[in-house]
Amino acid sequence: MFIGHVEITGKAALAPMAGVADRAFRRICADHGAACVVGEMVSSKGLTYGDRKSAELLELDADIRPAAIQLFGDDPATMARAAVQAMDYKPDWIDINMGCPAPKIAGNHCGSALMREPELCRQIVQAVKEAVAVPVTAKIRKGYSKNEVNAVEVALACEAGGADAITVHGRTRDQMYAPPVDWDIIRQVKEAVKVPVIGNGDVVDALSAAAMYEQTGCDLVMVGRGALGAPWVFSQIEAYLVHGRLLPTPTMAQRMTVLLRQVELMIAYKGERVAMLEARKHAAWYMNGLRGAAAFRREAGTLSSMEELAGLCAQLVLAEERGEL
Ligand SMILES: Cc1cc2nc3c(=O)[nH]c(=O)nc-3n(C[C@H](O)[C@H](O)[C@H](O)COP(=O)(O)O)c2cc1C
């Protein structure tokens, strides 16, 4: 599939996840076959006011492509200026956040609050599109609340503004991340617009990816939480959809090798102190679904050095060998 002129050859994209899908995790997911990656959302206001933290979030690696930068904001002119600034980081396209449910974003008239104003969505897309030469996409939700389901209307508005693709997360803002996810709304958007549609919500493995493609007709699936502690989900989806092969879950030794590499990268990018604090949640995710891992998960919550992490990983490998997990 193509987003504008940018070709996406893989079968599953990594979702933008603020505070989680950082440079290190994006590299790990790309190594495991993510079709493309999207950076953590960046405030258009922060960026245009010269906030250093916003600029740090924009960093993209030249060898992890295609890669998009995601901006949030509610003012078309500010979004356009921010997009121009973001171009210094050479994104393959600019994605516009119209789905974030967090009170400090939606309560500020940004993210999912835009779903209530399709005309403003159109204006934002158009302003950004006119400002930059790369494709522009929008990431929307099903609607704001169960009484305000309007993904089709918002998608059409974004398309009218010039959007090159639309990502649809099949939940309302009010649902935040709670079940159920509505894949039918993704199908409805796909039937309504001409541009490619990226389906998102609860794709967690090869079979759910196949089901998402089949039930919605989407052009690409996007995986968020299903990749946390399980970046190999991308190669599993690829192997199944391209070759019909269901790959086994990696062994504990393989999992721990990936976790260690991810944390090494986090340290290289952020320094050990910040990296180890953030590594705690990632380490716990790598133990998801393991019965008997509660004590290890607690230990992950106190990690403060690479040495401690290596020790924890070794214990987990031993525990699996002994059949304790
Ligand atoms: C921790 C976390 C951070 C997120 N940050 C962003 C973000 O910055 N921008 C965005 O568009 N969506 C963000 N999302 C939403 C995801 O991109 C995705 O739409 C959602 O998790 C549903 O997909 P999933 O069921 O595969 O996780 C975030 C989700 C999580 C769990």
Side-chain angles (χ1 to χ4, degrees):
M1 64 94 83
F2 282 83
I3 293 181
H5 60 272
V6 180
E7 186 173 16
I8 312 274
T9 51
K11 296 291 180 195
L14 172 64
M17 285 184 284
V20 176
D22 56 8
R23 254 175 100 186
F25 190 59
R26 296 199 297 270
R27 178 170 292 281
I28 293 290
C29 290
D31 286 351
H32 285 87
C36 56
V37 300
V38 187
E40 301 167 78
M41 64 178 179
V42 173
S43 159
S44 57
K45 269 197 192 135
L47 186 57
T48 52
Y49 291 167
D51 171 40
R52 230 192 44 220
K53 181 97 179 81
S54 301
E56 277 166 18
L57 286 174
L58 291 169
E59 213 67 57
L60 294 179
D61 289 291
D63 59 335
I64 301 177
R65 299 288 162 163
I69 279 176
Q70 190 189 61
L71 299 174
F72 71 91
D74 66 341
D75 176 49
T78 308
M79 287 290 280
R81 277 204 309 281
V84 170
Q85 279 181 246
M87 289 311 295
D88 286 351
Y89 299 84
K90 303 194 168 39
D92 292 295
W93 71 89
I94 301 277
D95 186 45
I96 299 171
N97 184 317
M98 298 183 179
C100 183
K104 73 171 191 233
I105 306 289
N108 227 346
H109 200 232
C110 299
S112 57
L114 297 177
M115 293 291 301
R116 285 181 152 156
E117 296 179 53
E119 171 54 19
L120 180 57
C121 295
R122 187 195 66 73
Q123 288 171 13
I124 291 173
V125 171
Q126 188 173 326
V128 173
K129 185 84 185 168
E130 283 168 3
V132 297
V134 294
V136 175
T137 58
K139 183 160 175 285
I140 71 174
R141 280 189 174 237
K142 174 180 177 177
Y144 194 86
S145 67
K146 67 176 189 307
N147 298 321
E148 299 164 283
V149 172
N150 64 348
V152 169
E153 190 189 351
V154 172
L156 286 168
C158 291
E159 185 177 49
D164 294 282
I166 314 279
T167 303
V168 187
H169 175 196
R171 287 189 173 84
T172 62
R173 185 269 161 181
D174 282 356
Q175 277 184 273
M176 309 290 280
Y177 298 98
V181 68
D182 178 5
W183 285 359
D184 194 60
I185 195 77
I186 302 170
R187 184 189 60 75
Q188 290 174 36
V189 171
K190 174 64 194 165
E191 283 173 5
V193 299
K194 294 188 191 67
V195 293
V197 169
I198 303 169
N200 173 237
D202 290 7
V203 172
V204 293
D205 54 21
L207 294 179
S208 50
M212 165 76 93
Y213 274 109
E214 197 184 303
Q215 289 174 34
T216 68
C218 67
D219 301 276
L220 184 66
V221 304
M222 178 177 271
V223 183
R225 292 163 299 169
L228 300 176
W232 43 81
V233 69
F234 295 101
S235 31
Q236 292 177 328
I237 292 173
E238 192 83 12
Y240 186 62
L241 292 175
V242 178
H243 306 292
R245 282 174 45 217
L246 273 175
L247 297 182
T249 309
T251 62
M252 186 58 70
Q254 288 167 330
R255 285 176 184 229
M256 294 301 113
T257 303
V258 179
L259 167 61
L260 284 166
R261 162 118 175 96
Q262 185 183 335
V263 178
E264 267 168 25
L265 287 169
M266 290 169 75
I267 291 173
Y269 294 142
K270 314 184 185 208
E272 185 162 25
R273 198 186 59 81
V274 174
M276 289 314 302
L277 285 175
E278 294 184 4
R280 294 172 178 178
K281 58 180 186 255
H282 286 281
W285 284 326
Y286 276 82
M287 298 170 211
N288 273 349
L290 298 176
R291 269 180 295 131
F296 294 113
R297 241 178 247 119
R298 272 196 300 279
E299 210 177 316
T302 64
L303 287 170
S304 60
S305 70
M306 195 64 191
E307 218 177 345
E308 283 173 24
L309 175 64
L312 178 63
C313 290
Q315 285 180 57
L316 275 154
V317 173
L318 263 179
E320 190 192 51
E321 276 170 17
R322 293 198 199 106
E324 294 164 6
L325 293 174

